[in-house]
Amino acid sequence: MATIKAVMFDFDGVLFDTEPLHLEMFRQVLRMEGVTLAPDRYHARYVGLTDQACFRAVLTDSGWSAVSADTLDRLVQCKTDLMQDALRKALPVLSGVRECVATVTETCRTAIASGALRHEIALCLELAGMTSMFEHISAAQDVRQGKPDPALYLHALDALNRRSPLRAHECLVFEDTPHGIEAARKAGMRCVGVATTLPGSRLVQADLVVPSLHALSLSQVLAQLSL
């Protein structure tokens, strides 16, 4: 029987209901470039990608023959500015998240491994009073490849491992997208799909699917996973 010593959380859509905001900001910025992004297409192809990867993929799929690094930097900065303003106006913390994470910290180490930008994560945690709940944060700036590449989860594992020994199979991940689930599994970690952004039928590669973190018991999750 494996022992879970650390729990890693994705950020957008798992801890905070920021996915609708991300979609709206992507759409606003892309409209300025003459590109339309339909919600169903976003959720089918791009959700879970980093900002840079999403812009590159959408523009390429829209027929742009080349997308320069300067263009990507400009688009990402524009979206970042819009997100910062939106987050300060209405913090979208998901119901039951504070209580769930607080309970997890009683028995496990905790980390965030997210393709979101570090300052967006830090701002939300600060405004929600949750900064101290996490031992480590791995964000988009920390790796070259975003999800579904396992780099973010391996980066977080390495950071935790430097403080005290920890192996991949001792980590449990909470994710809300197929890209994230694939990343966690490639990193050698068990994964719980959280059906807050997409229906559970899109998360079938996870070891277990739950509707949300609201009223979620880690002990019950571990029991269902036979851990």
Side-chain angles (χ1 to χ4, degrees):
M1 298 286 285
T3 299
I4 296 300
K5 297 181 179 179
V7 176
M8 298 188 187
F9 298 87
D10 178 42
F11 185 76
D12 296 312
V14 173
L15 299 177
F16 289 78
D17 189 22
T18 44
E19 288 295 1
L21 281 178
H22 281 293
L23 171 58
E24 179 55 31
M25 302 318 164
F26 276 127
R27 297 184 75 193
Q28 285 189 34
V29 175
L30 287 165
R31 275 198 296 268
M32 292 187 279
E33 304 297 319
V35 175
T36 299
L37 176 59
D40 57 347
R41 186 169 179 80
Y42 173 77
H43 287 111
R45 294 177 60 85
Y46 310 120
V47 67
L49 296 177
T50 64
D51 286 359
Q52 190 170 88
C54 183
F55 278 122
R56 181 186 292 110
V58 173
L59 294 175
T60 300
D61 291 347
S62 298
W64 286 40
S65 58
V67 185
S68 69
D70 287 344
T71 295
L72 289 175
D73 289 343
R74 174 175 58 83
L75 298 180
V76 169
Q77 186 58 57
C78 183
K79 176 180 173 289
T80 296
D81 293 341
L82 292 172
M83 280 292 294
Q84 292 276 312
D85 290 341
L87 291 172
R88 291 186 183 279
K89 290 176 183 176
L91 185 66
V93 61
L94 285 161
S95 175
V97 161
R98 291 185 186 88
E99 295 79 5
C100 176
V101 177
T103 301
V104 171
T105 61
E106 295 175 1
T107 55
C108 293
R109 303 167 71 184
T110 54
I112 290 173
S114 170
L117 297 171
R118 182 176 301 282
H119 54 265
E120 291 178 1
I121 298 172
L123 175 62
C124 288
L125 293 179
E126 178 184 357
L127 294 175
M130 295 176 61
T131 303
S132 63
M133 293 184 176
F134 298 95
E135 181 179 339
H136 173 77
I137 297 171
S138 288
Q141 298 95 322
D142 294 318
V143 297
R144 289 187 176 184
Q145 297 294 325
K147 302 169 185 177
D149 190 278
L152 272 165
Y153 283 109
L154 295 176
H155 184 277
L157 175 63
D158 183 61
L160 294 179
N161 202 28
R162 287 197 297 270
R163 300 176 185 179
S164 63
L166 183 67
R167 292 173 290 182
H169 70 266
E170 296 172 324
C171 300
L172 179 67
V173 170
F174 285 89
E175 269 286 356
D176 70 319
T177 68
H179 285 313
I181 294 168
E182 183 178 346
R185 293 180 65 85
K186 284 180 177 177
M189 302 174 186
R190 303 295 292 272
C191 186
V192 176
V194 185
T196 46
T197 302
L198 299 171
S201 59
R202 292 281 308 279
L203 310 177
V204 293
Q205 296 304 312
D207 297 289
L208 174 69
V209 177
V210 298
S212 71
L213 298 189
H214 181 71
L216 188 69
S217 164
L218 180 60
S219 60
Q220 291 178 344
V221 169
L222 297 180
Q224 291 185 65
L225 293 172
S226 299
L227 295 175

